[in-house]
Amino acid sequence: VNMSENVDSESGEKYAIRRKQALLLIIDSILPRIKLVKALLKTNISDDETSPREKSQVNSKGSSDFCVKNIKQAEFGRREIEIAEQDMSALISLRKRAQGEKPLAGAKVVGCTHITAQTAVLIETLVALGAQCRWTACNIYSTQNEVAAALAESGVSVFAWKGESEDDFWWCIDRCVNMEGWQANMILDDGGDLTHWVYKKYPSVFKKVRGIVEESVTGVHRLYQLSKAGKLCVPAMNVNDSVTKQKFDNLYCCRESILDGLKRTTDVMFGGKQVVVCGYGEVGKGCCSALKALGAIVCVTEIDPICALQACMDGFRVLKLNEVVRQMDMIITCTGNKNVVTREHLDRMKNGCIVCNMGHSNTEIDVASLRTPELTWERVRSQVDHVIWPDGKRVILLAEGRLLNLSCSTVPSFVLSITATTQALALIELYNAPESRYKQDVYLLPKKMDEYVASLHLPNFDAHLTELSDEQAKYMGLNKNGPFKPNYYRYERGFKTPHIDYD
């Protein structure tokens, strides 16, 4: 600041002192942050080339029972967890309500999920409720390294880092399960890989597990296969098809995060773009709604005539992928199936087409068929590759065909709070249930619990529920305190038939 020439020397001297004091206060306030950022940058640079499996790391308590990218990032991870907690008040409320009872005391939970700030809130809630937890990642790209470090620093045995190889992925799962003197009695899975590994490699552990909680289409499909073959020797809870998972996580989470993932990776403008969404389940509905709202021209592929009719009634054309693949600017898979987008489709795509997956597994796009000598791969930025054909055509592949939103962006904490609360209640229910309540089969979350999860989130909106009078409850044949819908009620906008195996 230039002082005016007519200011006398005495007042100028006082002004200079005040200015110096102000500058010192500013420096004092930002210096610790500068040091923290500098330390993070230094550790990131120095550790990028070294595999976590080759490092010897110890947390502040002297424990080395973890494997993360860099334990020194724990402070940053803790701050991210604290941000997530602000929008996950229902899970925190559950933690406070049940903390005194310790309903998971004695539970030894082995988990395989995305390791993000939101999942960390769930894990720390389980610990607060009495559980011992060992955790690994269900996706090689979705782990937030600083969050994994924060969990490891807090004492949770975490084995995960962003950018694992396939070998690293299975090594982490094995280290999570195979711990001398510690045997899991509960499984929380996302995708079924952990359950599959325990079933195949540690059958004695699998038989002694009290219950399995699974939250994905892929993992639930695997559980039903085990059950149908008579090989599921423990009860399992299908969280994916609970109302609070399907109607909130799958729909609302994907409606927001699809745009976030695409914008961060490609900077694409959606207005006027031709987009095909493969699958019109809850994930597909969320993606289509968001893309249409920003001016994209969206069509849908479907195998289910009821979902197809819903798409038509929502204003989308339903076509086969072969019929439109040449014109599309973006192709998004949301089916949970395999080989939805084949090499034949990829060969016919136009230059610059963006290809990505919003389903859990990496099987929907036939990425393996692209790893051939005649095609060139160019890494553009993190999780973005150009696949170049001999004639110069480029297809933009995101996250190598893995889950786009958690690989390339983040997901809304509030919606994840709903799913995480559902998972926590499912674990509590299976762990504390009498042996006679659940047989060796796959179960849906009881309706009463679904309603309880929803009720925990209503205070965020200052929502006030209407209460039934005795006369109204009797007329409807309901308990005044719920459940308010029969188990077969699915909260659909249209109708959907249950899965029937005609074989």
Side-chain angles (χ1 to χ4, degrees), residues 268-275 291-298 327-330 350:
V268 67
M269 183 172 180
F270 297 105
K273 291 292 190 298
Q274 298 270 357
V275 183
L291 291 161
K292 181 180 180 180
L294 288 188
I297 303 164
V298 183
Q327 292 82 44
M328 292 298 108
D329 298 301
M330 282 179 252
K350 71 179 186 180

Side-chain angles (χ1 to χ4, degrees), residues 294-312:
L294 288 188
I297 303 164
V298 183
C299 62
V300 169
T301 71
E302 248 303 338
I303 60 167
D304 185 331
I306 296 174
C307 290
L309 183 57
Q310 284 183 313
C312 292

Side-chain angles (χ1 to χ4, degrees), residues 264-325:
R264 291 196 198 199
T265 50
T266 64
D267 306 314
V268 67
M269 183 172 180
F270 297 105
K273 291 292 190 298
Q274 298 270 357
V275 183
V276 59
V277 175
C278 302
Y280 202 67
E282 297 305 318
V283 173
K285 288 179 175 70
C287 292
C288 289
S289 172
L291 291 161
K292 181 180 180 180
L294 288 188
I297 303 164
V298 183
C299 62
V300 169
T301 71
E302 248 303 338
I303 60 167
D304 185 331
I306 296 174
C307 290
L309 183 57
Q310 284 183 313
C312 292
M313 297 292 283
D314 288 335
F316 302 106
R317 291 197 67 193
V318 178
L319 300 163
K320 293 181 178 179
L321 186 56
N322 282 332
E323 297 171 346
V324 295
V325 68

